[in-house]
Every structure is written in structure tokens, then in C-alpha cells.
Amino acid sequence: MNLNRDLARIIIHLTEEELKEIESLLPLDEMTVAKEPSKGLVMFTALDSFDTEFYLGEVLVTEASVRYKDQEGYAMIMGDEPERALIMACVDALTRTKDEDELKKRVTEFLENKLSRLEEEIEREKRLVWATKVNFESMAKR
């Protein structure tokens, strides 16, 4: 698992209870908010069927940054999610530190477990979708 790559994907799928759980693991008293959570708009691009980029529209995002020890953590999350963005920035800063302490290990294990659960859910949904796929060539012709 590449935690830095998967961090946003994990955090955005956490329930409110799981968000409180990870918040309780973080050393918030040792972290400094460098940039309070703020809302903004980001242009969202997509690819059409010819692999040509086009602008789908603007997306509301919340961003925040914190400092912990020698690292800065940053987060940008779609939607109006100030608490989630702040927690994600804290986790980002913690996972970037050079220390290999028990705290970092517990947070990483927590996130890895959540990623594993998320991937299982995605796989289950894929199987459900594929079960509805129609093979038009095998349908009876009239």
C-alpha cells in the first residue's frame, strides 16, 4: 500500500465514527494549523470517449494544512468538509515524519485496515454490477 497515494481515498470514505476514532489517535496538541480549512473551487476535467480532455465544471473543495515536527501536511477534499480536511492534513503530516514511532504505526495500521475494507466493498459492488451485464449477442432474435 502506498499510503500517501491512497490517503484521500481512505479518509473520504470514513464514517463519522471512524473519523472520530482516527482523530483520537492523532497528537493534535503537537500539531499547528498552518492554514485553517477553507472552501474553494477547482476546475474539474474529464476525458471524453476520444481521450480528449474537457472541462466538466467547477467542484467545491475544502483544503487545509498543518505542521507536525519537521513536516507539513496538506489536504484537499471535495465538498464542504472542514473537519475531514483538517484530519487528513494531520494524518498526512504524521505519515511524512521520519520517525518510526508507535503512534505512526497505529495510525498506519488503522488506515490499512480501512483500505482493505474499502477495496472489499468496491470488489463486491463490481461483482454486483457485472452480474447485471447483458450479452446482446446471445439474446434471441425475432
Side-chain angles (χ1 to χ4, degrees):
M1 172 175 108
N2 181 346
L3 190 57
N4 288 334
R5 185 193 72 217
D6 294 323
L7 181 60
R9 197 172 98 182
I10 299 166
I11 298 283
I12 63 172
H13 285 94
L14 292 179
T15 65
E16 290 299 319
E17 185 177 289
E18 292 168 335
L19 206 57
K20 299 274 185 234
E21 191 177 340
I22 197 166
E23 184 178 12
S24 70
L25 294 174
L26 297 171
L28 299 176
D29 55 328
E30 297 176 36
M31 296 187 171
T32 306
V33 176
K35 181 178 186 228
E36 290 287 334
S38 62
K39 292 179 269 190
L41 295 172
V42 174
M43 188 59 72
F44 188 76
T45 59
L47 291 177
D48 65 13
S49 57
F50 301 105
D51 287 333
T52 303
E53 273 192 2
F54 68 96
Y55 295 110
L56 194 57
E58 293 179 323
V59 175
L60 175 68
V61 296
T62 305
E63 62 179 335
S65 65
V66 300
R67 291 205 59 78
Y68 176 65
K69 295 189 178 179
D70 60 338
Q71 294 296 319
E72 184 168 337
Y74 175 80
M76 181 186 288
I77 293 184
M78 285 195 329
D80 185 8
E81 297 271 2
E83 183 180 350
R84 198 173 295 265
L86 201 51
I87 289 172
M88 184 172 148
C90 291
V91 172
D92 184 47
L94 176 70
T95 57
R96 290 175 184 273
T97 60
K98 307 291 185 249
D99 302 341
E100 287 298 325
D101 60 0
E102 187 62 31
L103 173 64
K104 186 174 178 180
K105 184 178 175 185
R106 281 190 316 209
V107 169
T108 302
E109 285 175 3
F110 176 87
L111 293 170
E112 286 172 346
N113 288 337
K114 298 305 170 190
L115 179 61
S116 176
R117 181 191 54 123
L118 177 62
E119 287 175 342
E120 287 171 7
E121 281 181 30
I122 290 170
E123 211 38 57
R124 184 181 59 78
E125 286 179 14
K126 279 183 187 177
R127 284 193 302 276
L128 290 171
V129 169
W130 277 103
T132 65
K133 183 179 176 188
V134 175
N135 184 354
F136 290 101
E137 298 193 8
S138 68
M139 295 176 72
K141 294 180 184 174
R142 295 184 189 207

